[in-house]
Amino acid sequence: MNEYQKMPEWVAKINPLLAEDKFEEANKITQNYYYSLEDPKDESKFGFLLIANLIKTNFKYKQYKEALKWCDELLKFNLSKMDKYDDGEREFYTGATYYELGDFEKAKEFLTLANKKSKGRSLKLFDDMKYSNFLKEK
């Protein structure tokens, strides 16, 4: 079974848990899927999706230190090997997480890079203008 064939199975397992706010269980399942991927994981589009999901889920439940751990992992991905355009998504998640942790210097660094790479589009990933407003204020 290739990694894309696992996606519907993964979604079917985590969606009911997230609907019941059982995010820790959903995260464990997502992590198991990630760790079960063949190496190199940092060249896997499904791996990228899994980690982005972990970041967003941890973000939703204000688990910012855990989100930062996954941001660090996401930054290691080799986008060119994945044939994925670098649109600043990784930097946005990292900057937003640093912002929520109160490290505004690092937040500005990553959000500025995300903004440049995406021409402003990435600052809207969480449907919250506070990151865009933060950059305007700094």
Side-chain angles (χ1 to χ4, degrees), residues 55-106:
I55 293 166
K56 289 184 264 187
T57 301
N58 281 303
F59 219 85
K60 179 180 177 184
Y61 293 97
K62 299 182 183 339
Q63 303 297 311
Y64 301 118
K65 287 182 182 178
E66 184 69 12
L68 185 60
K69 173 183 133 182
W70 291 107
C71 287
D72 290 342
E73 194 68 28
L74 197 62
L75 287 169
K76 295 175 188 174
F77 271 69
N78 186 335
L79 301 183
S80 62
K81 294 273 185 167
M82 297 167 41
D83 197 28
K84 181 171 176 21
Y85 175 73
D86 189 355
D87 60 359
E89 181 179 5
R90 300 174 303 163
E91 291 81 1
F92 169 77
Y93 292 140
T94 304
T97 304
Y98 275 122
Y99 176 91
E100 298 301 336
L101 288 169
D103 189 336
F104 300 117
E105 188 175 313
K106 285 190 177 180

